[in-house]
Amino acid sequence: MAAEIIHSSTQDTYDPVDAVFALHRGGKMEIRATVPVRDADDLSLAYTPGVAKVCTAIAERPELVNDYTWKSNVVAVVTDGTAVLGLGDIGPEASLPVMEGKAILFKQFGGVDAVPIALACTGVDEIVETVVRLAPSFGGVNLEDISAPRCFEIERRLQEALDIPIFHDDQHGTAIVSTAALWNAAKVTGREIGSLRAVISGAGAAGIAIAKMLVAAGIGDVAVCDRRGVVYEGRGDLTDVKAEIAAGTNRTGLKGSLADALAGADVFIGVSGGTVPEDVVATMAEGCFIFAMANPNPEIHPEVAHRYAAVVATGRSDFPNQINNVLAFPGIFAGALQVRATRITEGMKLAAAKALAAVVADELTPQKVIPSPFDERVAPAVTKAVAEAARREGVARL
């Protein structure tokens, strides 16, 4: 039955003359040489016999691999296809167009080479073992579209096993950009982030990471809500990850539904989908901020949000203040790779958020609390901030 459903869906959606399919035909990326191979002399340098000298040197001094191969500037974009965009568990093959897209964004916005790797396994042990075995070829690993709660353990175990940056963008990229936007939203309205009470709808990868970063950034209070309502200490059905976030958030001890939590709240951050009724939005504090980031349908449509909020952001490109991870991950990896960092620390993430916010600090309006993804100042600013933070935190090798 499942095969029949998939076949029917494919027949309904596949249109070879559609502009989207036309753009994707043959894939969106390729590999090109950076040195010429025009004659026998070139060949003898790029390949045998000359290459043997480089191989022998690396065998004797393994750190030279970063100087004489592409390793120090290449990232593996790894997925198992279980949480792809808003499509869910569509499998590794169907995830490849997204992973290719991620790879070209690395290159376009950060100057970083990236290789899409879609894995035909979903077990935590299998994924960790596979990535560890692949790691000698890469300077960093960007985990992508892996469903929660497995994504948390996979990232943690890879960080413990490897001495290269491991970064789950669905978590930390979203958190970095959201935090930067919130800092600027507070600034443009004459407030301090420490005076704000935020409510996050969604306790998956992004929601948990945003909550942690907002706490680190000094938010007044933040409560996370899942399908059952507010995540609070002592709630009997919490996973280990949710129990940890409950212990570090919700200082006022809120319980109940999302609607209960939003009454009087200063900030709504949506990373869950669904719809928040307008009568619930109306109970938020005057001059509130609404970041409704579900795609393609925000939890609160901007038209509704603007009736109540001083600042509105979405995940969409056709509205102002797009919370887009491309503002973060290219510069984060570029900075980490530049200094050959052994990991990406919480301090490096906060530095990225501060740098991102600072790009438009002198241009702030309620319609511009975050830069455009095409703002050419973004990647250099984030790259520099991350590299400097890596050196401060003692994880840089250069």
Side-chain angles (χ1 to χ4, degrees):
M1 184 64 177
E4 292 175 3
I5 292 172
I6 292 171
H7 177 74
S8 173
S9 174
T10 301
Q11 291 298 318
D12 289 343
T13 60
Y14 175 57
D15 180 0
V17 301
D18 184 292
V20 172
F21 283 94
L23 182 142
H24 283 76
R25 182 172 290 280
K28 300 190 292 293
M29 57 185 294
E30 64 182 5
I31 293 176
R32 294 189 180 188
T34 60
V35 297
V37 184
R38 298 161 299 194
D39 52 34
D41 288 340
D42 288 344
L43 184 60
S44 69
L45 291 172
Y47 198 51
T48 187
V51 73
K53 290 184 179 180
V54 180
C55 294
T56 302
I58 293 171
E60 294 171 352
R61 295 176 55 192
E63 72 276 8
L64 291 178
V65 69
N66 292 298
D67 295 312
Y68 294 103
T69 73
W70 76 337
K71 176 182 170 78
S72 63
N73 195 52
V74 65
V75 171
V77 181
V78 177
T79 189
D80 63 357
T82 55
V84 181
L85 298 178
L87 304 174
D89 185 356
I90 59 175
E93 289 86 358
S95 77
L96 268 176
V98 179
M99 300 310 114
E100 285 184 2
K102 198 81 174 189
I104 65 175
L105 295 179
F106 265 109
K107 189 67 172 179
Q108 171 87 14
F109 294 103
V112 173
D113 290 305
V115 178
I117 298 177
L119 303 179
C121 59
T122 58
V124 171
D125 291 342
E126 293 176 297
I127 292 173
V128 170
E129 181 181 5
T130 301
V131 176
V132 167
R133 291 179 185 275
L134 289 170
S137 296
F138 299 98
V141 176
N142 184 94
L143 300 172
E144 190 75 18
D145 293 350
I146 298 173
S147 63
R150 296 172 310 116
C151 60
F152 302 111
E153 184 179 357
I154 290 167
E155 183 185 49
R156 177 185 60 78
R157 286 176 54 181
L158 286 173
Q159 286 174 337
E160 293 171 353
L162 300 172
D163 65 348
I164 58 175
I166 310 295
F167 186 82
H168 184 212
D169 187 47
D170 300 313
Q171 293 183 60
H172 311 302
T174 308
I176 288 163
V177 182
S178 300
T179 301
L182 187 58
W183 266 325
N184 279 344
K187 184 176 180 180
V188 79
T189 56
R191 305 172 75 176
E192 296 290 336
I193 196 170
S195 70
L196 304 175
R197 179 172 73 84
V199 176
I200 298 171
S201 176
I208 295 293
I210 292 169
K212 289 181 177 180
M213 180 158 280
L214 290 184
V215 170
I219 192 80
D221 196 12
V222 56
V224 179
C225 296
D226 62 10
R227 290 184 180 87
R228 297 184 178 224
V230 178
V231 174
Y232 59 87
E233 277 197 283
R235 209 181 89 178
D237 61 341
L238 298 182
T239 63
D240 290 344
V241 171
K242 291 182 183 179
E244 179 187 356
I245 204 66
T249 60
N250 193 19
R251 299 186 189 100
T252 54
L254 291 173
K255 298 181 180 180
S257 66
L258 173 65
D260 295 327
L262 280 176
D266 302 295
V267 183
F268 169 82
I269 297 175
V271 284
S272 64
T275 301
V276 179
E278 183 171 355
D279 61 343
V280 173
V281 179
T283 69
M284 293 182 67
E286 185 177 353
C288 62
F289 309 146
I290 293 177
F291 295 0
M293 295 185 282
N295 261 314
N297 299 311
E299 295 88 348
I300 304 170
H301 193 278
E303 183 179 329
V304 174
H306 278 295
R307 294 173 191 154
Y308 306 95
V311 178
V312 176
T314 72
R316 288 173 48 156
S317 60
D318 54 344
F319 293 104
N321 295 326
Q322 183 190 18
I323 307 295
N324 191 326
N325 288 15
V326 76
L327 290 163
F329 68 82
I332 288 166
F333 269 99
L337 293 175
Q338 185 180 95
V339 298
R340 296 181 191 167
T342 57
R343 62 186 292 116
I344 295 173
T345 66
E346 297 306 310
M348 291 161 73
K349 296 170 197 173
L350 273 174
K354 290 176 182 177
L356 182 56
V359 168
V360 291
D362 296 329
E363 307 162 19
L364 293 179
T365 71
Q367 289 74 43
K368 188 176 183 179
V369 297
I370 201 74
S372 160
F374 298 99
D375 189 325
E376 294 181 355
R377 299 170 296 176
V378 168
V382 174
T383 299
K384 180 181 178 183
V386 168
E388 290 174 350
R391 292 190 179 103
R392 284 196 304 273
E393 303 218 332
V395 297
R397 286 179 279 209
L398 284 180

